[in-house]
Amino acid sequence: MAILGELGTEILIPVCGVVGIVFAVAQWFIVSKVKVTPGAASAAGGGKNGYGDYLIEEEEGLNDHNVVVKCAEIQTAISEGATSFLFTMYQYVGMFMVVFAAVIFVFLGSIEGFSTKGQPCTYSTGTCKPALYTALFSTASFLLGAITSLVSGFLGMKIATYANARTTLEARKGVGKAFITAFRSGAVMGFLLSSSGLGVLYITINVFKMYYGDDWEGLFESITGYGLGGSSMALFGRVGGGIYTKAADVGADLVGKVERNIPEDGPRNPAVIADNVGDNVGDIAGMGSDLFGSYAESSCAALVVASISSFGINHDFTAMCYPLLVSSVGIIVCLLTTLFATDFFEIKAASEIEPALKKQLIIFTALMTIGVAVINWLALPAKFTIFNFGAQKDVSNWGLFFCVAVGLWAGLIIGFVTEYYTSNAYSPVQDVADSCRTGAATNVIFGLALGYKSVIIPIFAIAVSIYVSFSIAAMYGIAMAALGMLSTTATGLAIDAYGPISDNAGGIAEMAGMSHRIRERTDALDAAGNTTAAIGKGFAIGSAALVSLALFGAFVSRAGVKVVDVLSPKVFIGLIVGAMLPYWFSAMTRRVCESAALKMVEKVRRQFNTIPGLMKGTAKPDYATCVKISTDASIREMIPPGALVMLTPLIVGTLFGVETLSGVLAGALVSGVQIAISASNTGGAWDNAKKYIEAGNSEHARSLGPKGSDCHKAAVIGDTIGDPLKDTSGPSLNILIKLMAVESLVFAPFFATYGGVLFKYI
């Protein structure tokens, strides 16, 4: 038996969750000391903005009162626009939740004809609870996961809009102060999401356990609905938010920068508020829901496999909760790592930002490796068995340590590779910028080639992780490798959210008319933020590959599939169709981005042509109309891609059976991961190539500029093409492969019983 008993587990997991929430509140309190109300600073403890630090910009004679008022007004407009969009989207998503919850109950409840009689357990001795009640609890966990995902995204958005103007104001004291404010704000989101996700899942398990008793097979089968709910909401958040932000971004770029030669974030640009709103609903709310879904799914996959292994059969609660214990340790390690960025290291120059963020990843990985070793020693018996496609595989506790560690270090490798290919500090992005000398066409060719090349090392890292973890502990090992990669969720979200917050801070500085020195600092923050956002997407995509494979293993186990034979026609047709789905999905998301962007471009052009004095700055643009265009387009256009993802497993599983569905899942996983990495890195490289030219911080960069030059316009076109790739199609693809897998797992009993209708008559 393990050293850590059941009582210790029941104390440790909730305590770690509470510590994470308390730390998030403490970070929020520190950020709130930066005031956006003129005259309130002295009441907050002396000094402007709640601090006694000297404002560098005072020497330029700026009116502090007016600057703060403008920043507050812009922040309010962005917050109201983001809140309005999310509430509108949640109305439609709420209807989907109700309908799909009914589908889950009917499909799963019909397996035994809605009988209330218990049935013999499949993998253990004794009688298991009726399928009808498992359907009911699966429906409840689906709704719970969906609500938690929505709340996570909404809180993330509110935190980001609360922090963006404060980051702008702190930039007057130096780039270091602005960096700490943005990073602390991202940490609030990261720790709230990871801690609440852990806490809600743990409470759900214990509440369901009161009914299921010793039927852990049924208990953890019903828990899978939690992952499905979280991931389905993430899909709509990612797709809807991505369409919103890209419609506004493309409109602001093409008309403002290219046609009118004005700053993208200038107050004369009618799409500027919608553009800044989009950062929050796409990159913040969408990413929050996405990583929550990944955490929930990987935990559910591990718990399902463990429930039919010796952990579940022997009712070893501490060992069963090993995935949750790893996540608990991750919260504590993330807390320590965050302190290095906010308290132990001091950022004095813009060039120190990216190295500081890189140190975050290195420190976390090193400390987490030690933490996993400790919890491995405390929580697991020396020897146990793991279910492996119909058999029980002997595994040692240190074997699981290597499974988690290989995922942890693979995530670090993916992060570093992503940084190399998307940061303008390295040659790949600089070469992309240089290709703009000969126009937009060569820029596009070079950027696409960079994206394809950036896939190589991450795929090898994922492949090694899969081989090592599967060899040690079968599909449970892969699920734990995914959790190892996701254990950095709190820090990862802090790093990822830092990017959009910094981008918004730069936009607010431009709209508020602050000096070019402030904009230079926020641009430096933003350039590093683009890289960190790409790193966050790299983590999300890499973990999605492992999570999807773990869910795939859990699905074939629950569906009773012993072997997935690719030479079987039933499997192969699914394989080739599944490999096509990411392309179909990408085409849909990119087309709807183009359609929404076209409407935005037309509206922005019309305002410039019809509002007298707009170009001179004597008239105010109609921001609200542009916000409405993005909102309407994203709500309407997110439905077809969402339907493709949600309906595919139901149709394939019902009509063609579990073998064909296995092929579909495998095909979508193999092609989807590589398209997602390529799209995300290509878009990130184009974006930072544009910023490299705009910043002009080196002789090479200055030779390509300045803003408005032909070279810069070619870079803007590349950035515009890359926007839907890095912010809509790429990030959404990882949800596609995860969501289809977890949906198949939830409906596995139904497909195993009634699936393959067509093949029964052909």
Side-chain angles (χ1 to χ4, degrees):
M1 297 298 294
I3 297 174
L4 183 67
E6 184 171 338
L7 178 60
T9 302
E10 292 175 345
I11 294 174
L12 181 60
I13 295 175
V15 165
C16 289
V18 171
V19 167
I21 292 174
V22 170
F23 184 74
V25 173
Q27 297 298 302
W28 175 84
F29 176 76
I30 295 173
V31 172
S32 68
K33 290 173 66 178
V34 181
K35 301 300 179 182
V36 292
T37 304
S42 58
K48 293 183 178 182
N49 301 323
Y51 295 93
D53 296 331
Y54 176 68
L55 295 181
I56 296 174
E57 295 310 308
E58 282 185 334
E59 64 191 42
E60 297 185 1
L62 296 179
N63 187 317
D64 179 70
H65 183 279
N66 289 341
V67 167
V68 176
V69 168
K70 287 181 180 179
C71 288
E73 290 175 350
I74 297 165
Q75 175 185 288
T76 300
I78 294 172
S79 180
E80 290 176 350
T83 302
S84 175
F85 166 75
L86 288 182
F87 278 158
T88 303
M89 185 180 75
Y90 289 170
Q91 293 175 17
Y92 290 87
V93 168
M95 292 186 286
F96 161 80
M97 285 169 52
V98 173
V99 172
F100 205 77
V103 171
I104 293 174
F105 179 75
V106 171
F107 274 48
L108 298 185
S110 66
I111 294 174
E112 296 171 4
F114 298 98
S115 171
T116 57
K117 295 181 180 180
Q119 299 293 326
C121 295
T122 306
Y123 299 98
S124 60
T125 59
T127 302
C128 286
K129 299 296 183 181
L132 178 63
Y133 294 113
T134 298
L136 181 63
F137 280 97
S138 296
T139 303
S141 63
F142 165 78
L143 292 172
L144 194 59
I147 292 170
T148 306
S149 179
L150 294 178
V151 171
S152 297
F154 182 78
L155 287 177
M157 180 277 296
K158 296 301 288 185
I159 292 164
T161 55
Y162 182 85
N164 49 26
R166 288 168 167 81
T167 302
T168 305
L169 293 173
E170 285 295 272
R172 296 181 297 168
K173 302 172 184 175
V175 69
K177 294 292 184 182
F179 167 78
I180 290 176
T181 300
F183 191 84
R184 284 190 193 276
S185 304
V188 176
M189 173 186 175
F191 281 93
L192 278 180
L193 186 147
S194 56
S195 299
S196 61
L198 172 68
V200 172
L201 179 57
Y202 182 72
I203 292 171
T204 303
I205 290 172
N206 281 278
V207 170
F208 284 17
K209 193 174 168 218
M210 295 171 63
Y211 168 75
Y212 278 98
D214 291 336
D215 178 15
W216 286 16
E217 187 179 316
L219 165 63
F220 291 102
E221 180 181 331
S222 65
I223 289 294
T224 57
Y226 185 75
L228 176 59
S231 200
S232 59
M233 297 303 103
L235 173 69
F236 292 112
R238 267 299 197 189
V239 175
I243 295 170
Y244 186 109
T245 186
K246 290 310 106 184
D249 201 1
V250 171
D253 273 357
L254 288 183
V255 183
K257 281 188 172 183
V258 178
E259 296 182 5
R260 296 286 176 167
N261 200 28
I262 63 173
E264 174 187 359
D265 293 315
R268 293 173 291 173
N269 197 322
V272 65
I273 294 294
D275 187 10
N276 282 276
V277 169
D279 289 336
N280 295 284
V281 300
D283 290 336
I284 298 289
M287 174 58 84
S289 295
D290 184 3
L291 285 183
F292 167 77
S294 291
Y295 164 74
E297 288 161 334
S298 57
S299 299
C300 291
L303 291 170
V304 166
V305 177
S307 70
I308 55 179
S309 304
S310 62
F311 297 162
I313 295 172
N314 298 332
H315 297 94
D316 186 346
F317 185 74
T318 298
M320 273 298 305
C321 288
Y322 179 66
L324 278 67
L325 289 168
V326 170
S327 300
S328 301
V329 173
I331 291 174
I332 303 302
V333 174
C334 284
L335 188 154
L336 296 174
T337 306
T338 301
L339 293 177
F340 279 93
T342 58
D343 297 273
F344 301 156
F345 296 151
E346 183 180 359
I347 302 295
K348 297 180 179 179
S351 59
E352 297 176 4
I353 296 175
E354 284 193 30
L357 295 173
K358 187 187 295 185
K359 288 177 184 176
Q360 289 277 289
L361 298 177
I362 296 172
I363 293 170
F364 173 84
T365 304
L367 292 179
M368 188 62 189
T369 302
I370 299 172
V372 171
V374 172
I375 202 66
N376 208 76
W377 173 59
L378 293 175
L380 294 176
K383 298 287 184 181
F384 46 88
T385 62
I386 295 295
F387 185 83
N388 181 27
F389 296 106
Q392 294 288 339
K393 181 181 178 67
D394 292 326
V395 181
S396 69
N397 57 351
W398 290 109
L400 281 188
F401 164 75
F402 286 111
C403 292
V404 178
V406 74
L408 186 62
W409 285 91
L412 181 66
I413 292 171
I414 293 173
F416 278 8
V417 171
T418 303
E419 184 210 18
Y420 175 73
Y421 280 104
T422 58
S423 171
N424 56 29
Y426 302 103
S427 60
V429 170
Q430 294 174 12
D431 291 342
V432 171
D434 196 68
S435 70
C436 295
R437 293 180 187 274
T438 50
T442 48
N443 180 30
V444 170
I445 294 170
F446 211 100
L448 290 174
L450 178 147
Y452 297 149
K453 189 177 180 180
S454 71
V455 172
I456 299 171
I457 296 178
I459 291 299
F460 276 120
I462 293 170
V464 170
S465 300
I466 291 171
Y467 182 81
V468 171
S469 55
F470 185 85
S471 299
I472 294 173
M475 287 298 178
Y476 185 80
I478 294 176
M480 292 313 304
L483 270 175
M485 194 176 292
L486 287 166
S487 60
T488 183
T489 294
T491 297
L493 273 173
I495 292 174
D496 188 75
Y498 157 84
I501 292 172
S502 299
D503 190 32
N504 265 200
I508 291 173
E510 186 76 47
M511 285 184 279
M514 300 174 77
S515 73
H516 72 280
R517 295 172 61 193
I518 298 295
R519 189 61 209 247
E520 286 174 358
R521 294 176 196 140
T522 58
D523 282 349
L525 294 172
D526 188 21
N530 276 336
T531 302
T532 61
I535 292 173
K537 289 163 187 170
F539 270 101
I541 296 167
S543 63
L546 297 177
V547 169
S548 300
L549 187 56
L551 291 167
F552 174 79
F555 161 70
V556 297
S557 298
R558 298 301 301 179
V561 178
K562 297 294 189 295
V563 178
V564 179
D565 183 4
V566 296
L567 297 179
S568 166
K570 291 182 181 180
V571 175
F572 191 80
I573 61 172
L575 190 69
I576 197 168
V577 170
M580 173 272 298
L581 287 176
Y583 292 93
W584 188 0
F585 181 84
S586 297
M588 295 175 75
T589 53
R590 294 179 196 182
R591 185 197 64 78
V592 298
C593 282
E594 181 274 334
S595 175
L598 178 61
K599 294 177 182 177
M600 184 67 72
V601 167
E602 291 174 346
K603 183 61 182 177
V604 173
R605 282 175 178 165
R606 188 177 301 116
Q607 289 198 38
F608 275 120
N609 292 330
T610 59
I611 299 179
L614 182 56
M615 275 298 294
K616 295 180 180 179
T618 58
K620 188 176 180 180
D622 182 5
Y623 299 126
T625 300
C626 292
V627 170
K628 187 176 187 304
I629 289 174
S630 279
T631 300
D632 293 345
S634 57
I635 296 298
R636 181 178 62 255
E637 301 292 356
M638 73 179 183
I639 296 174
L644 173 67
V645 177
M646 299 300 296
L647 294 179
T648 294
L650 292 177
I651 294 173
V652 174
T654 302
L655 298 182
F656 301 96
V658 292
E659 291 182 83
T660 303
L661 182 54
S662 299
V664 168
L665 297 179
L669 168 60
V670 170
S671 70
V673 169
Q674 305 191 56
I675 298 172
I677 294 174
S678 173
S680 179
N681 290 347
T682 295
W686 275 329
D687 196 350
N688 269 348
K690 176 197 70 175
K691 285 182 168 57
Y692 175 75
I693 296 173
E694 292 175 345
N697 290 330
S698 67
E699 187 63 33
H700 176 250
R702 287 190 289 272
S703 70
L704 301 173
K707 290 183 180 180
S709 66
D710 289 341
C711 192
H712 177 248
K713 289 182 178 180
V716 171
I717 291 173
D719 175 40
T720 305
I721 296 171
D723 278 337
L725 274 67
K726 70 180 177 67
D727 291 326
T728 307
S729 298
S732 299
L733 280 171
N734 68 72
I735 302 176
L736 174 142
I737 59 178
K738 293 183 303 179
L739 183 52
M740 291 203 304
V742 72
E743 184 179 347
S744 300
L745 172 60
V746 170
F747 289 98
F750 176 83
F751 296 148
T753 305
Y754 299 114
V757 173
L758 288 182
F759 286 138
K760 290 178 181 178
Y761 300 101
I762 297 178

